Amino acid sequence: FIPKGVKSNIDSLIFKEGIVIENITGDKIAGLVKVNNELWRAFSINKEQINKDEEIVVEKIDGNHLIVKKKG
């Protein structure tokens, strides 16, 4: 049980920065990113490809996947 207004661990990742470990190919194929020293499957928010070693920012959460965009 999480009290109303308190973020769960996954919600606390929103707006955090990370790095791509496996390429993200648009919004159909999940890549792998590292955020807060944890690995997550991720999709691109605007359907762009994001390549390995590029920096990302978490925009939102969809189930157990992060939705990210390129930093900058």
Side-chain angles (χ1 to χ4, degrees), residues 1 5 8 17 19 32 37 47-48:
F1 170 73
S8 69
E17 297 176 0
I19 193 159
L32 191 64
N37 237 10
K47 302 179 185 179
E48 67 183 336

Side-chain angles (χ1 to χ4, degrees), residues 12-72:
S12 69
L13 295 176
I14 296 173
F15 304 122
K16 296 284 185 180
E17 297 176 0
I19 193 159
V20 177
I21 304 299
E22 289 178 2
N23 292 353
I24 300 169
T25 308
D27 66 340
K28 299 289 185 223
I29 300 186
L32 191 64
V33 298
K34 189 174 192 176
V35 179
N36 281 356
N37 237 10
E38 297 177 333
L39 296 177
W40 294 89
R41 285 285 168 199
F43 293 102
S44 169
I45 194 165
N46 45 13
K47 302 179 185 179
E48 67 183 336
Q49 175 156 336
I50 307 176
N51 296 316
K52 183 179 178 184
D53 297 325
E54 287 193 81
E55 294 180 322
I56 54 91
V57 176
V58 178
E59 289 292 303
K60 59 183 180 177
I61 310 297
D62 185 10
N64 61 352
H65 290 85
L66 305 182
I67 308 300
V68 303
K69 70 174 184 180
K70 286 184 186 180
K71 181 180 171 188

